[in-house]
Amino acid sequence: MVVRVVLSAISLVAATAPLALAAASDASISSRQHIGESSSGPWSFDDPSYSYCDPGYPSEQDYNAVPDAQLEFVQIVVRHGDRSPVHLIAHDDSEWNCKDVLEEIYLHGADQDQKNTTGSFQQQIEIPNWNQRYGFENLVWKGTCDVGELTDKGKSQHRLLGNRLRSVYIDKLGYLPKEPNNAGEVYARTTYIWRTKNSAESLLGALWPARGIAPAAAIPLHTFPKEIETMYGNSDACPRINTLLANVSSSDHYQDFLKEQGPLMSRLAAIMGVKGSSWDSGWDGYFDVLNARKCHGKAPICTRPLTTGSDSKGEKSCITDKDVAQVSRNANYEWSFKYRDNPLAKDLTSLVIGSFVGTLRDHMESHIAGKTGALKLALYSGHDSTIWPLLAVLGASNRDALWPPYASNLIFELWKKESSGDRVVRVIFNGKALELRKEDQWCDMNSCPLDQFYKRLEQYIPTNIVAQCANN
């Protein structure tokens, strides 16, 4: 399948309000600051530069090569770009449009030349007007976006990221070729979810903009069947993930957190018209809906007045900016506690992302052993649930461990010192060297000795995934 994408101009959204993240360390799991508070303690967070709507990007002006070293291999893990929400709320009258990006799809036969064999097609999402008698159109918003679809802005974010990567790795360093000489120079992998594919296409299209549509110019996009996916927590393949999450969620500490923020959750659920276990046991659904809307300047969500004829009954209640900020604090606290700051976090994070961590390590080892041929770049297009566990593995600071913004980019560079022959790894997150927690300064992310880097990763890589995933 060949896909042609025509993109509209990017529109940048202003940064969200500062978030204050309170979390508990393993050593003091019973003492927790109120989530809405801010302090100068080790678990506080206040960074007005944070924006969920847009990440930081690599910059040719700010980027410097590792001194006395040659760049050997680059692996980039990205989150998909801006998207429509993946959670639905009752009576959503907002409009989400994804029609400004033209996507033409056609097939080549394996034994054919450059001509397509089917003619071109355009997929279009259709959401008809609800007739209030039959059909289910009232369950989703208006417009042309599927649930969780990459928006036009999301595609443009990855176009911008591709341009920035080109300015660094092609124009400045001369590391990557101006155009791929063969498909073996780049490896690209996405999840089966379409927004990650469109994100990778947008990024690679801007990184190498002169590629044509001939089959020989195609960059393969590798995708695992979802049953064996390792770029996020695969609880179907690894049942113990859910067991550990249930143990963490049932802990006194986490239940105290839910109880403390329960009144806010109940009020928001009533306004949004949502209910069920996915809405009363965690904050990710609220975070998704409210922040996705905020990134697009959507109107606040309000209750629908009870009406009888022309008379309205009941006062309208709306979700405020203050509510959205508190939801963001709660969601960041929740992720931090589950995957970084509780006694089971290491085991849980290992099962969630450890297999993929092993892939990143193995790619570096294979390159050093001369087994990767011409490969220079590996791109992995995933989700927030790909990026965040990786940040937990690396021990990212509260500043860098907030919910990964759309189009977040985590870069692993392998360098070889020219004087000694030693290898070092540099980790760049959203345009800057990854910042570690003060209490876990295990390595310099600007230049981490390879053996030290491996030692950290191997703490999270499963040794027998089948046995470790079993509920014994």
Side-chain angles (χ1 to χ4, degrees), residues 107-170:
L107 298 178
H108 290 294
D111 57 349
Q112 301 295 321
D113 58 17
Q114 295 183 12
K115 296 179 181 179
N116 73 76
T117 59
T118 62
S120 61
F121 298 88
Q122 292 180 13
Q123 179 178 343
Q124 296 184 355
I125 301 300
E126 181 179 0
I127 302 174
N129 293 325
W130 186 37
N131 60 26
Q132 299 190 13
R133 291 180 294 128
Y134 55 84
F136 306 103
E137 296 86 359
N138 63 318
L139 300 180
V140 73
W141 47 70
K142 304 176 178 127
T144 58
C145 285
D146 200 349
V147 177
E149 182 177 353
L150 198 71
T151 64
D152 304 328
K153 181 190 171 188
K155 296 179 177 73
S156 295
Q157 286 175 322
H158 276 282
R159 294 281 300 177
L160 176 57
L161 177 55
N163 280 322
R164 292 294 188 89
L165 293 171
R166 181 179 179 87
S167 72
V168 170
Y169 294 108
I170 296 177

Side-chain angles (χ1 to χ4, degrees), residues 203-324:
L203 188 158
L204 292 170
L207 179 61
W208 287 302
R211 288 188 312 109
I213 62 172
I219 295 176
L221 291 182
H222 301 264
T223 304
F224 286 13
K226 65 183 179 66
E227 289 79 8
I228 60 171
E229 183 58 77
T230 61
M231 287 177 65
Y232 52 75
N234 189 339
S235 57
D236 288 337
C238 186
R240 192 161 176 259
I241 290 176
N242 283 340
T243 301
L244 290 176
L245 278 172
N247 290 339
V248 172
S249 298
S250 64
S251 66
D252 291 343
H253 185 85
Y254 188 74
Q255 288 301 309
D256 286 347
F257 160 64
L258 289 180
K259 183 177 180 181
E260 178 183 301
Q261 295 299 312
L264 173 62
M265 183 179 284
S266 297
R267 182 168 65 82
L268 297 181
I271 294 174
M272 296 165 70
V274 296
K275 60 183 178 180
S277 60
S278 64
W279 291 97
D280 59 25
S281 61
W283 287 95
D284 60 319
Y286 299 94
F287 181 94
D288 167 44
V289 171
L290 297 177
N291 279 284
R293 293 172 66 98
K294 185 171 184 176
C295 291
H296 285 261
K298 303 291 186 187
I301 300 173
C302 301
T303 54
R304 295 167 63 91
L306 299 174
T307 58
T308 303
S310 61
D311 297 328
S312 295
K313 299 180 181 180
E315 295 184 2
K316 184 167 72 170
S317 179
C318 296
I319 296 174
T320 66
D321 287 344
K322 184 178 179 181
D323 292 332
V324 177

Side-chain angles (χ1 to χ4, degrees), residues 388-407:
W388 208 98
L390 288 175
L391 295 174
V393 167
L394 296 169
S397 68
N398 286 354
R399 181 194 306 274
D400 279 352
L402 289 178
W403 204 295
Y406 292 132

Side-chain angles (χ1 to χ4, degrees), residues 8-26:
S8 57
I10 188 168
S11 110
L12 298 178
V13 179
T16 58
L19 305 180
L21 175 62
S25 68
D26 293 349

Side-chain angles (χ1 to χ4, degrees), residues 339-340 346 349-350 354 357-358 361 389-397 412 425 427 434-437 439-443 445 448-462:
Y339 295 101
R340 194 189 67 181
K346 195 168 187 178
T349 302
S350 176
V357 171
R361 180 203 59 186
L390 288 175
L391 295 174
V393 167
L394 296 169
S397 68
F412 300 88
V425 176
V427 182
L434 182 68
E435 180 182 276
L436 303 182
R437 297 164 65 190
E439 58 270 47
D440 192 17
Q441 295 287 320
W442 60 274
C443 206
M445 292 293 95
C448 182
L450 183 62
D451 57 348
Q452 200 169 336
F453 190 74
Y454 280 172
K455 184 177 180 181
R456 177 74 177 202
L457 298 190
E458 285 163 2
Q459 296 178 39
Y460 291 87
I461 298 172

